[in-house]
Amino acid sequence: MIQTPPSADRLAEISFWFKAAEVSAFPENGGACVKYQDQQIAVFHFAKRNEWYASQNLCPHKQQMILARGLIGDQCGEPKVACPFHKKTFSLLTGENLNGECYHIETYPVKIEDGYVYIGMRE
């Protein structure tokens, strides 16, 4: 499985890999939410592209925990998620708002090992 390749800077920031769930717990070509401590993290499986991504679950536009149920796709080859309520779109690589607005989302590196999804976390 292909995972989100962290940059050298992002890799240096990772304190540990959180074991989120088995690969089978996530829908193909969709997302699901996992919880780590007090954080909700949206995990997306782009089965068509054989790629995995993770971001905060909170949409910053209206402060709703909904991105895991968002619509996934790409914009000029860049993977994105669109909030299902107001269609604000965010890059799953950088967290940048692709509508040109000033808010963004946190993204996390993902790796797949032994049938489990791991999310790179910072302390």
Side-chain angles (χ1 to χ4, degrees):
M1 297 270 170
I2 296 173
Q3 57 235 4
T4 307
S7 66
D9 291 341
R10 294 274 324 253
L11 195 56
E13 295 174 358
I14 297 172
S15 301
F16 64 97
W17 291 93
F18 165 61
K19 188 176 188 178
E22 290 184 9
V23 166
S24 62
F26 299 95
E28 290 188 356
N29 301 308
C33 183
V34 297
K35 193 165 184 181
Y36 172 73
Q37 295 179 349
D38 63 348
Q39 297 178 60
Q40 288 189 27
I41 300 171
V43 178
F44 304 97
H45 179 199
F46 282 63
K48 292 178 185 175
R49 296 167 58 145
N50 200 26
E51 296 174 348
W52 292 81
Y53 299 92
S55 74
Q56 70 185 47
N57 193 36
L58 178 72
C59 179
H61 175 239
K62 294 288 185 179
Q63 301 297 303
Q64 294 169 308
M65 294 290 189
I66 194 64
L67 290 181
R69 294 179 171 237
L71 307 167
I72 62 172
D74 72 75
Q75 184 168 323
C76 299
E78 183 162 357
K80 68 176 184 174
V81 62
C83 174
F85 288 140
H86 302 101
K87 308 303 183 260
K88 302 295 181 181
T89 58
F90 301 93
S91 164
L92 289 171
L93 292 175
T94 66
E96 174 188 3
N97 181 301
L98 299 175
N99 301 101
E101 294 163 290
C102 63
Y103 41 81
H104 68 281
I105 60 172
E106 182 73 26
T107 60
Y108 303 92
V110 176
K111 70 178 181 178
I112 308 301
E113 284 185 3
D114 300 323
Y116 284 87
V117 177
Y118 290 83
I119 302 169
M121 305 298 290
R122 293 179 284 233
E123 297 260 344

